[in-house]
Amino acid sequence: MNELAHLAIIMDGNGRWAQAQNKARIEGHKAGAKIVRDITIWCAKNTIEYLTLYAFSTENWKRPKAEVNFLMKLLLKYLKSEKKTYLDNNIRFKAIGDISLFNNPLKEMILDLEECTKNNTNLTQILALNYGSRDEILRCFQKIFHKYTAETILEKIIQENLDTAGIPDVDLLIRTGGEQRISNFLLWQISYAELHFTQTFWPDFNTQELESIITNFKQRNRRFGGL
Ligand code: FPP
């Protein structure tokens, strides 16, 4: 049976979920935020160590301004209202990505929540915020460029300078919403991840479907390039 230490999810399909019900796209994001909460609590209660969620990508700035603004407000509201959930469930919160482009209240909330939960020992929930894998790798190169030569650089050095430093590689990556692509998410960290694509739109995703995906994952034969 495979151990599942690190679960990552590309939460896709909010817009199509809303459109299918003649609702505005933002209603899909609102409904999606509720699922973030359910899935996070389930992971905390089921001894998953790390849950990484793709909440806002470096490419998402290209969306209409009103949708971007709504997502920023929703994130801030979520983090504020869920602070108690993180504390009550001993969940550590961490952001990956370049949050410098966010507005001050959102940046401050992210840093506050990271600080308040840093000693929590249950699940670590990682939100990918203004995250793109290529951007992360570029920032990593910028950090290490002057410190190493071709002879002294090691894989470990790259790992330790990514946003996910100290976090194990992803074991299982799920993408909801029916598309079968990675969309610039954790490219380094998913090298040996098992992949699962589901048609379910994110606002319809639930803990039963997650449990069944995990049961299937545990039975897969992971060889990591060996026999
Ligand atoms: C993809 O759906 C989803 C996003 C770009 C944003 C993810 C945001 C949430 C799940 C809600 C808020 C998150 C938190 C952490 C509170 P899409 O809009 O690309 O859907 P579509 O492909 O159907 O258009």
Side-chain angles (χ1 to χ4, degrees):
M1 289 261 275
N2 297 312
E3 289 296 316
L4 176 54
H6 190 170
L7 168 66
I9 308 183
I10 301 175
M11 309 180 288
D12 196 17
N14 292 349
R16 281 166 290 157
W17 177 89
Q19 274 155 1
Q21 316 183 35
N22 284 320
K23 291 180 175 166
R25 288 178 55 81
I26 58 168
E27 293 302 322
H29 297 314
K30 251 198 236 172
K34 293 203 184 83
I35 311 303
V36 169
R37 181 173 195 272
D38 293 350
I39 298 297
T40 301
I41 293 175
W42 187 91
C43 287
K45 297 209 160 120
N46 286 273
T47 63
I48 308 279
E49 287 173 62
Y50 298 91
L51 169 67
T52 304
L53 300 170
Y54 209 0
F56 193 87
S57 78
T58 45
E59 287 71 35
N60 286 152
W61 297 107
K62 290 185 220 153
R63 295 188 173 208
K65 208 165 181 276
E67 184 172 338
V68 170
N69 287 343
F70 181 84
L71 280 168
M72 296 297 131
K73 280 198 193 127
L74 182 64
L75 273 167
L76 179 59
K77 197 171 151 205
Y78 180 87
L79 297 178
K80 266 190 194 164
S81 67
E82 287 305 306
K83 186 167 177 177
K84 191 171 168 346
T85 306
Y86 290 94
L87 298 173
D88 290 352
N89 291 277
N90 194 18
I91 298 170
R92 183 161 71 114
F93 168 78
K94 184 179 162 55
I96 55 169
D98 176 10
I99 64 161
S100 69
L101 294 184
F102 289 158
N103 60 51
N104 283 336
L106 182 53
K107 264 191 288 201
E108 281 158 21
M109 187 66 223
I110 291 166
L111 298 176
D112 171 63
L113 203 53
E114 283 186 332
E115 181 61 27
C116 291
T117 62
K118 69 177 181 200
N119 295 320
N120 286 355
T121 53
N122 206 341
L123 173 76
T124 298
Q125 185 217 48
I126 302 157
L127 288 189
L129 297 168
N130 189 28
Y131 176 87
S133 214
R134 289 182 174 181
D135 180 62
E136 177 191 33
I137 292 168
L138 171 65
R139 288 186 283 105
C140 167
F141 281 10
Q142 288 166 339
K143 271 189 251 170
I144 63 182
F145 185 71
H146 292 292
K147 295 193 198 148
Y148 301 95
T149 61
E151 291 72 31
T152 58
I153 188 95
L154 299 168
E155 234 181 62
K156 189 168 149 282
I157 311 273
I158 298 176
Q159 237 149 21
E160 285 167 357
N161 285 281
L162 291 170
D163 296 350
T164 50
I167 295 167
D169 277 353
V170 174
D171 296 299
L172 172 63
L173 171 68
I174 299 172
R175 181 177 187 135
T176 64
E179 311 288 359
Q180 300 194 13
R181 52 178 173 256
I182 303 299
S183 302
N184 202 12
F185 190 44
L186 301 173
L187 298 180
W188 175 281
Q189 299 86 341
I190 60 164
S191 295
Y192 285 98
E194 296 293 318
L195 308 179
H196 184 99
F197 300 97
T198 168
Q199 294 293 327
T200 309
F201 292 143
W202 177 250
D204 285 331
F205 194 70
N206 58 33
T207 55
Q208 286 81 0
E209 183 169 0
L210 177 59
E211 263 190 277
S212 116
I213 295 169
I214 292 176
T215 302
N216 169 282
F217 159 82
K218 289 200 167 159
Q219 289 155 4
R220 292 194 197 180
N221 182 10
R222 298 184 81 192
R223 290 191 295 276
F224 300 94
L227 291 179

